[in-house]
Short mmCIF file of all heavy atoms in Angstrom, two decimals:
data_model
loop_
_atom_site.label_atom_id
_atom_site.label_comp_id
_atom_site.label_asym_id
_atom_site.label_seq_id
_atom_site.Cartn_x
_atom_site.Cartn_y
_atom_site.Cartn_z
N ALA C 359 120.23 118.38 100.16
CA ALA C 359 121.39 119.24 100.42
C ALA C 359 121.01 120.72 100.45
O ALA C 359 121.65 121.50 101.15
CB ALA C 359 122.46 118.99 99.35
N ALA C 360 120.00 121.13 99.70
CA ALA C 360 119.67 122.55 99.64
C ALA C 360 118.17 122.78 99.81
O ALA C 360 117.48 123.26 98.89
CB ALA C 360 120.15 123.13 98.31
N PRO C 361 117.63 122.44 101.00
CA PRO C 361 116.18 122.61 101.19
C PRO C 361 115.81 124.08 101.15
O PRO C 361 116.61 124.94 101.53
CB PRO C 361 115.94 122.04 102.60
CG PRO C 361 117.26 122.11 103.29
CD PRO C 361 118.31 121.99 102.24
N GLN C 362 114.62 124.39 100.66
CA GLN C 362 114.15 125.79 100.65
C GLN C 362 113.08 125.92 101.71
O GLN C 362 112.02 125.29 101.61
CB GLN C 362 113.60 126.15 99.27
CG GLN C 362 114.68 126.08 98.20
CD GLN C 362 114.16 126.57 96.85
OE1 GLN C 362 113.31 127.44 96.77
NE2 GLN C 362 114.67 125.98 95.79
N ALA C 363 113.38 126.71 102.71
CA ALA C 363 112.51 126.78 103.89
C ALA C 363 111.08 127.13 103.51
O ALA C 363 110.85 128.04 102.69
CB ALA C 363 113.05 127.81 104.87
N ASN C 364 110.14 126.42 104.08
CA ASN C 364 108.70 126.72 103.96
C ASN C 364 108.18 126.72 102.53
O ASN C 364 107.16 127.35 102.24
CB ASN C 364 108.37 128.07 104.62
CG ASN C 364 108.81 128.09 106.07
OD1 ASN C 364 109.71 128.85 106.43
ND2 ASN C 364 108.23 127.26 106.90
N THR C 365 108.91 126.06 101.62
CA THR C 365 108.45 125.99 100.23
C THR C 365 108.02 124.56 99.89
O THR C 365 108.78 123.62 100.11
CB THR C 365 109.57 126.43 99.26
OG1 THR C 365 109.91 127.78 99.58
CG2 THR C 365 109.13 126.36 97.81
N ALA C 366 106.80 124.43 99.38
CA ALA C 366 106.31 123.12 98.91
C ALA C 366 106.48 123.07 97.40
O ALA C 366 106.32 124.09 96.72
CB ALA C 366 104.84 122.96 99.27
N PHE C 367 106.80 121.91 96.89
CA PHE C 367 106.96 121.72 95.44
C PHE C 367 105.93 120.73 94.94
O PHE C 367 105.75 119.66 95.54
CB PHE C 367 108.36 121.18 95.12
CG PHE C 367 109.45 122.15 95.44
CD1 PHE C 367 110.01 122.21 96.71
CD2 PHE C 367 109.91 123.05 94.48
CE1 PHE C 367 111.00 123.12 97.02
CE2 PHE C 367 110.90 123.97 94.78
CZ PHE C 367 111.44 124.00 96.06
N GLU C 368 105.29 121.09 93.85
CA GLU C 368 104.36 120.16 93.17
C GLU C 368 104.88 120.07 91.75
O GLU C 368 104.91 121.08 91.03
CB GLU C 368 102.96 120.77 93.21
CG GLU C 368 101.88 119.89 92.64
CD GLU C 368 101.34 118.86 93.62
OE1 GLU C 368 100.78 119.26 94.66
OE2 GLU C 368 101.50 117.68 93.34
N ARG C 369 105.35 118.88 91.36
CA ARG C 369 105.91 118.75 90.01
C ARG C 369 105.11 117.68 89.27
O ARG C 369 104.96 116.55 89.75
CB ARG C 369 107.38 118.34 90.12
CG ARG C 369 108.13 118.36 88.80
CD ARG C 369 109.61 118.55 89.06
NE ARG C 369 110.45 118.44 87.87
CZ ARG C 369 110.56 119.37 86.93
NH1 ARG C 369 109.85 120.48 86.99
NH2 ARG C 369 111.36 119.19 85.90
N PHE C 370 104.59 118.06 88.11
CA PHE C 370 103.78 117.12 87.34
C PHE C 370 104.67 116.39 86.34
O PHE C 370 105.48 117.03 85.66
CB PHE C 370 102.64 117.86 86.64
CG PHE C 370 101.61 118.36 87.61
CD1 PHE C 370 101.67 119.65 88.10
CD2 PHE C 370 100.61 117.52 88.06
CE1 PHE C 370 100.75 120.10 89.02
CE2 PHE C 370 99.67 117.97 88.98
CZ PHE C 370 99.74 119.26 89.46
N THR C 371 104.51 115.08 86.28
CA THR C 371 105.30 114.27 85.33
C THR C 371 104.32 113.30 84.66
O THR C 371 103.22 113.08 85.16
CB THR C 371 106.40 113.47 86.04
OG1 THR C 371 105.82 112.29 86.59
CG2 THR C 371 107.07 114.26 87.16
N MET C 372 104.77 112.69 83.56
CA MET C 372 103.89 111.75 82.86
C MET C 372 103.52 110.54 83.73
O MET C 372 102.47 109.93 83.57
CB MET C 372 104.57 111.23 81.59
CG MET C 372 104.41 112.17 80.42
SD MET C 372 102.74 112.76 80.37
CE MET C 372 103.00 114.46 80.32
N GLN C 373 104.42 110.21 84.66
CA GLN C 373 104.17 109.08 85.58
C GLN C 373 103.12 109.42 86.63
O GLN C 373 102.57 108.54 87.27
CB GLN C 373 105.46 108.81 86.35
CG GLN C 373 106.20 107.61 85.93
CD GLN C 373 107.32 107.35 86.93
OE1 GLN C 373 107.32 107.81 88.08
NE2 GLN C 373 108.27 106.58 86.49
N GLY C 374 102.94 110.72 86.84
CA GLY C 374 102.08 111.19 87.92
C GLY C 374 102.80 112.30 88.68
O GLY C 374 103.99 112.50 88.49
N PRO C 375 102.08 113.02 89.55
CA PRO C 375 102.70 114.15 90.25
C PRO C 375 103.66 113.72 91.37
O PRO C 375 103.49 112.65 91.95
CB PRO C 375 101.51 114.89 90.85
CG PRO C 375 100.36 113.96 90.80
CD PRO C 375 100.64 112.89 89.81
N VAL C 376 104.63 114.57 91.64
CA VAL C 376 105.54 114.38 92.78
C VAL C 376 105.40 115.63 93.65
O VAL C 376 105.51 116.75 93.14
CB VAL C 376 107.02 114.34 92.35
CG1 VAL C 376 107.90 113.89 93.51
CG2 VAL C 376 107.23 113.47 91.16
N ALA C 377 105.19 115.44 94.94
CA ALA C 377 105.11 116.59 95.83
C ALA C 377 106.17 116.49 96.91
O ALA C 377 106.44 115.40 97.44
CB ALA C 377 103.72 116.66 96.48
N LEU C 378 106.79 117.62 97.23
CA LEU C 378 107.69 117.71 98.38
C LEU C 378 107.07 118.73 99.32
O LEU C 378 106.93 119.90 98.98
CB LEU C 378 109.08 118.21 97.97
CG LEU C 378 109.96 117.34 97.08
CD1 LEU C 378 111.34 117.96 96.95
CD2 LEU C 378 110.08 115.95 97.64
N LEU C 379 106.69 118.26 100.51
CA LEU C 379 106.05 119.15 101.48
C LEU C 379 107.05 119.45 102.58
O LEU C 379 107.58 118.52 103.20
CB LEU C 379 104.81 118.46 102.08
CG LEU C 379 103.78 117.95 101.07
CD1 LEU C 379 102.70 117.11 101.76
CD2 LEU C 379 103.13 119.12 100.35
N PRO C 380 107.36 120.72 102.84
CA PRO C 380 108.41 121.03 103.81
C PRO C 380 108.02 120.56 105.20
O PRO C 380 106.92 120.86 105.68
CB PRO C 380 108.49 122.56 103.76
CG PRO C 380 107.15 123.01 103.29
CD PRO C 380 106.65 121.93 102.37
N PHE C 381 108.91 119.80 105.84
CA PHE C 381 108.61 119.32 107.19
C PHE C 381 109.91 119.13 107.94
O PHE C 381 110.79 118.39 107.51
CB PHE C 381 107.81 118.01 107.14
CG PHE C 381 107.37 117.56 108.51
CD1 PHE C 381 106.45 118.31 109.24
CD2 PHE C 381 107.90 116.42 109.09
CE1 PHE C 381 106.07 117.92 110.50
CE2 PHE C 381 107.51 116.02 110.36
CZ PHE C 381 106.60 116.77 111.07
N GLN C 382 110.02 119.86 109.06
CA GLN C 382 111.19 119.79 109.94
C GLN C 382 112.48 119.96 109.14
O GLN C 382 112.63 120.93 108.42
CB GLN C 382 111.14 118.52 110.77
CG GLN C 382 109.94 118.55 111.71
CD GLN C 382 109.83 117.35 112.61
OE1 GLN C 382 110.39 116.29 112.32
NE2 GLN C 382 109.08 117.48 113.68
N ASP C 383 113.38 118.95 109.20
CA ASP C 383 114.70 119.12 108.56
C ASP C 383 114.67 118.79 107.07
O ASP C 383 115.70 118.83 106.41
CB ASP C 383 115.72 118.20 109.25
CG ASP C 383 115.31 116.73 109.15
OD1 ASP C 383 114.11 116.45 108.91
OD2 ASP C 383 116.17 115.85 109.29
N GLY C 384 113.53 118.44 106.51
CA GLY C 384 113.51 118.03 105.10
C GLY C 384 112.13 118.15 104.51
O GLY C 384 111.46 119.19 104.65
N TYR C 385 111.69 117.07 103.87
CA TYR C 385 110.40 117.09 103.16
C TYR C 385 109.65 115.79 103.37
O TYR C 385 110.25 114.72 103.49
CB TYR C 385 110.63 117.24 101.65
CG TYR C 385 111.24 118.56 101.26
CD1 TYR C 385 112.62 118.69 101.07
CD2 TYR C 385 110.44 119.69 101.09
CE1 TYR C 385 113.18 119.91 100.73
CE2 TYR C 385 110.99 120.90 100.75
CZ TYR C 385 112.35 121.01 100.56
OH TYR C 385 112.90 122.22 100.23
N GLU C 386 108.34 115.90 103.35
CA GLU C 386 107.50 114.71 103.21
C GLU C 386 107.28 114.54 101.71
O GLU C 386 106.77 115.45 101.04
CB GLU C 386 106.16 114.90 103.93
CG GLU C 386 106.27 115.02 105.43
CD GLU C 386 106.89 113.79 106.09
OE1 GLU C 386 106.62 112.66 105.62
OE2 GLU C 386 107.66 113.97 107.06
N LEU C 387 107.72 113.40 101.21
CA LEU C 387 107.63 113.13 99.77
C LEU C 387 106.34 112.37 99.46
O LEU C 387 106.00 111.42 100.17
CB LEU C 387 108.83 112.25 99.37
CG LEU C 387 108.78 111.58 98.00
CD1 LEU C 387 108.96 112.61 96.88
CD2 LEU C 387 109.87 110.50 97.90
#
Side-chain angles (χ1 to χ4, degrees):
Q362 296 185 33
N364 304 114
T365 300
F367 294 87
E368 184 83 63
R369 188 155 173 75
F370 290 95
T371 81
M372 277 317 127
Q373 254 190 20
V376 191
L378 293 187
L379 305 172
F381 185 66
Q382 295 182 339
D383 60 340
Y385 294 96
E386 294 300 324
L387 166 72

